[in-house]
Amino acid sequence: MENQRNISEFILLGLSYDQNIQIFCFVFFLFCYLVLLVGNLLILFSIQCSPLFNQPMYYFLSHLSLIDICYTSSVTPKLIGDLLVERKIISYGDCMLQVLIMHFFGGTEIFILTAMAFDRYAAICKPLHYVIIMNRTRCNLLLLAAWAGGAIHSFPQFFMAIGLPFCGPNEIDHYFCDIFPLLKIACTDTYITGVLVIALSGMVALVTFAVLFVSYGVILFTLKNRSAEGRHKALSTCGSHITVVILFFVPAIFIYLRPPTTFPEDKVFALFYTIIAPMFNPLIYTLRNAEMKNTLKKLSIKLCFQRKHTFKEQFVQQRDI
C-alpha cells in the first residue's frame, strides 16, 4: 500500500472552527462519555452480580453494554482530546484502525439488537416454549453469530479503505475516520467502492431495521389479547428496545443509504449513533425496567452495608491496637 499514498497522516476538521463552540462541545461530550461509561459499567456489574444474568434478555443487555463501551471508546476520547487542540491529526494507521473498529463494533451492535428483538418475540409470542427456545446454548450461538456478523461487516470495508490511494489533500471533513469521508479525498474513481459501502452498510442497516420494525409490529399486535398488566409489562421492555433501535438505526441509514457523498449535517447525525444513543441506552433500559431498578437498589443497599461493615471492622481493629 505504501506506493499508493504520499501521506502518513490525516487532518480531521472536527465539528466546528469556533473556539467557544469547541469548549462547549468539550464539556458536553466529556460529560456524555462519563455518563456512558458509568451507566454501562453499572449495568454490566448489576447483571453479572444478580440472578438477572440467567435471563436471556439481560444476558444480551450485558453484552450490548460492553459493545457500547468499546464502540464509543473508539471515537469519543479522540474527539474530546481534539477539541482542545488546533490541529486535529490522526496517523494513517490509526485512521484505518478506527475504520475497522468502528464498523466491527457497530455491526456487532446491530446483530445483538436483532437477537434481543428475537428474544422479546419468543417471550411474548411463544411464552410456553420460551425456556426451550431461548436456552443458554442458543443465546451463546446468537451472540457468536453477532460477533461473526460484525467481523464480516467490517473487514471488507477495512480492506477497501486501505486499498484507497491518497496522493494529495489529507483533510477529512469529519471528527473521525469513516469510509465516505475517505472516499472524498482519495485520488481515484471511487464509484464502485461507494456502491459497495452502500450495500455493506446502508442496505444492512435498512434490512435489519425493517426486520426489527416488523418483529416489534407482530409483538405489539399480539399484545392486544393480553391483560392490561401483561401489556404494560411487555410494553415497558419493548418500548425500551424500540427507542434504542430508532436512535441507532435512523441516523445510520440517513448517512450510509445514499450516494457516496458527505454533507455538513453528517457530523450531527453521526453523533447520535456514536455517542448519544450509547449514552442513553443505560438510562432507557433502567428507567423503564422495574427489574433493573430493583436490582440496582438491592446492589446499592448491599454495597452500603458492606462498606459500613468494613468500616466497623477497621474501627474495631484500630481501637484494639
Side-chain angles (χ1 to χ4, degrees), residues 152-277:
I152 293 171
H153 166 75
S154 62
F155 277 100
Q157 303 201 59
F158 170 69
F159 288 120
M160 284 189 289
I162 64 174
L164 292 172
F166 301 100
C167 51
N170 66 335
E171 291 185 343
I172 299 177
D173 189 15
H174 217 302
Y175 62 90
F176 67 91
C177 285
D178 201 4
I179 190 72
F180 275 170
L182 288 171
L183 292 180
K184 189 176 181 180
I185 63 172
C187 51
T188 187
D189 183 9
T190 59
Y191 176 78
I192 295 178
T193 305
V195 172
L196 291 174
V197 173
I198 293 173
L200 288 170
S201 292
M203 289 305 299
V204 168
L206 179 63
V207 171
T208 307
F209 181 71
V211 170
L212 293 174
F213 184 83
V214 171
S215 66
Y216 283 118
V218 172
I219 291 172
L220 295 176
F221 179 78
T222 305
L223 290 177
K224 71 177 186 177
N225 299 322
R226 299 292 180 86
S227 64
E229 183 181 354
R231 283 198 301 268
H232 176 74
K233 184 177 180 180
L235 286 173
S236 66
T237 55
C238 288
S240 303
H241 293 193
I242 293 171
T243 304
V244 170
V245 166
I246 291 174
L247 283 174
F248 186 84
F249 278 91
V250 172
I253 291 172
F254 173 82
I255 289 179
Y256 291 108
L257 194 64
R258 66 171 196 231
T261 185
T262 57
F263 299 110
E265 295 81 7
D266 289 356
K267 301 176 188 179
V268 177
F269 280 95
L271 289 172
F272 276 91
Y273 62 81
T274 57
I275 301 174
I276 304 300

Side-chain angles (χ1 to χ4, degrees), residues 13-49:
L13 299 184
L15 295 173
S16 173
Y17 295 106
D18 190 292
Q19 188 66 29
N20 293 326
I21 294 178
Q22 290 195 56
I23 293 174
F24 170 78
C25 288
F26 169 79
V27 176
F28 177 71
F29 291 123
L30 179 61
F31 170 77
C32 290
Y33 187 56
L34 292 176
V35 170
L36 182 149
L37 288 178
V38 172
N40 281 292
L41 287 173
L42 190 60
I43 286 180
L44 270 172
F45 179 75
S46 301
I47 294 175
Q48 292 284 340
C49 299

Side-chain angles (χ1 to χ4, degrees), residues 289-306:
N289 192 298
E291 287 183 310
M292 278 299 303
K293 287 190 285 188
N294 291 334
T295 300
L296 290 173
K297 288 180 182 178
K298 290 178 182 178
L299 285 175
S300 299
I301 294 172
K302 183 178 179 181
L303 288 174
C304 290
F305 177 78
Q306 288 178 345

Side-chain angles (χ1 to χ4, degrees), residues 46-116:
S46 301
I47 294 175
Q48 292 284 340
C49 299
S50 71
L52 292 180
F53 186 73
N54 297 319
Q55 299 184 35
M57 184 179 78
Y58 298 101
Y59 184 56
F60 289 134
L61 179 57
S62 65
H63 283 267
L64 180 66
S65 295
L66 176 62
I67 291 294
D68 279 339
I69 292 172
C70 298
Y71 178 59
T72 306
S73 295
S74 67
V75 172
T76 308
K78 173 66 176 170
L79 167 63
I80 294 172
D82 284 345
L83 289 168
L84 298 177
V85 298
E86 184 176 352
R87 283 175 56 86
K88 303 163 180 51
I89 298 173
I90 184 170
S91 68
Y92 177 87
D94 289 344
C95 182
M96 296 300 113
L97 184 62
Q98 196 173 61
V99 172
L100 175 65
I101 294 174
M102 275 286 297
H103 284 277
F104 173 68
F105 286 114
T108 305
E109 177 153 350
I110 285 175
F111 297 117
I112 286 183
L113 288 172
T114 306
M116 293 176 74

